[in-house]
Amino acid sequence: FFYWLPLPAHLTSEEMELRALQRGVHILGSHRFAMTSIQKSSYIRVSVTSPDTEDDLRKGLLILKHIFRENA
């Protein structure tokens, strides 16, 4: 299962993907799924079944929460 989370207008999915990766969290930005170059990259896709444990999922989601707050 996965969820699409909207991003603040000033943050692209490419930037969010990089910031999360720098903190050890692997997510996919909507730019990877866009059919045309004019489609916005304003979402990230978060898989809730990829982490090995529930604790890993919790830690990853907290990291994403912190990134969102830093870029609010």
Side-chain angles (χ1 to χ4, degrees), residues 2-67:
F2 58 86
Y3 293 94
W4 288 101
L5 300 178
L7 297 173
H10 63 278
L11 187 63
T12 68
S13 64
E14 294 96 325
E15 292 170 322
M16 185 65 178
E17 207 175 274
L18 179 60
R19 290 175 191 202
L21 187 58
Q22 290 170 336
R23 296 183 185 190
V25 177
H26 298 268
I27 56 172
L28 294 175
S30 56
H31 66 282
R32 296 186 180 275
F33 302 92
M35 299 288 285
T36 67
S37 61
I38 60 172
Q39 289 180 311
K40 285 192 169 187
S41 59
S42 57
Y43 291 85
I44 56 169
R45 186 174 117 160
V46 177
S47 174
V48 296
T49 56
S50 292
D52 293 330
T53 66
E54 189 175 321
D55 191 50
D56 287 343
L57 175 61
R58 186 177 298 111
K59 288 176 184 176
L61 291 174
L62 284 173
I63 289 169
L64 292 177
K65 179 181 175 180
H66 289 119
I67 295 170

